Amino acid sequence: QVQLVESGGGLVQAGGSLRLSCAASGRTISSYGMGWFRQAPGKEREFVAAISWTGGSTYYTESVKGRFTISRDNAKNTVYLQMISLKPEDTAVYYCAAKYGSRWSQWRGEYAYWGQGTQVTVSS
């Protein structure tokens, strides 16, 4: 069993930056693919970014490419999402998730463990 706790969300002006953290406990995440998803009010949860177990492979949804960077520190059992040039449309609750297997995935159904989420609000 893996427990995930996100932090680092908040209110920021458009063009600003935030770094989200996802701290894992219960088991080491070094053998898990990890991902970030987000859910805006009235919308379905959508994929944002994912990273393989070594961190050597990453994948992003088109709308965040060049602005968001996913990374991981397996020694700290933590995954990060660095977000720059934030836009109002990035406003959402951001969730961290872990999947079995070493590879990343953009498919929500492949993730077995989820955090409770952290709110990101970008004002215009």
Side-chain angles (χ1 to χ4, degrees), residues 9 16 19-20 29 31-32 37 48-49 51 59-60 64 70-71 73 85 92-93 97 103-104 107-108 112 122:
R19 188 175 84 152
L20 306 183
I29 60 168
S31 59
Y32 289 81
F37 292 75
V48 176
I51 189 167
Y59 185 72
Y60 300 90
V64 308
I70 187 171
S71 62
D73 186 338
S85 302
V93 176
R103 298 188 63 186
W104 55 261
W107 306 114
R108 188 174 61 190
V122 185

Side-chain angles (χ1 to χ4, degrees), residues 55-106:
S57 179
T58 58
Y59 185 72
Y60 300 90
T61 192
E62 191 65 33
S63 63
V64 308
K65 284 181 180 178
R67 300 189 299 120
F68 290 12
T69 303
I70 187 171
S71 62
R72 65 192 297 163
D73 186 338
N74 287 338
K76 295 182 178 180
N77 232 24
T78 302
V79 179
Y80 305 96
L81 185 67
Q82 178 68 52
M83 306 184 294
I84 66 170
S85 302
L86 283 161
K87 305 175 180 180
E89 50 264 43
D90 294 318
T91 294
V93 176
Y94 283 70
Y95 297 90
C96 173
K99 63 174 290 293
Y100 294 108
S102 59
R103 298 188 63 186
W104 55 261
S105 172
Q106 63 180 311

Side-chain angles (χ1 to χ4, degrees), residues 1-6 22-37 45 79 94-101 105 107-117:
Q1 193 80 359
V2 177
Q3 291 80 43
L4 303 172
V5 178
E6 302 94 337
C22 172
S25 61
R27 299 185 71 174
T28 177
I29 60 168
S30 60
S31 59
Y32 289 81
M34 300 296 295
W36 285 96
F37 292 75
R45 193 170 300 187
V79 179
Y94 283 70
Y95 297 90
C96 173
K99 63 174 290 293
Y100 294 108
S105 172
W107 306 114
R108 188 174 61 190
E110 293 192 21
Y111 287 83
Y113 302 104
W114 293 83
Q116 293 300 306

Side-chain angles (χ1 to χ4, degrees), residues 7-25:
S7 62
L11 173 63
V12 63
Q13 288 188 333
S17 302
L18 284 173
R19 188 175 84 152
L20 306 183
S21 298
C22 172
S25 61

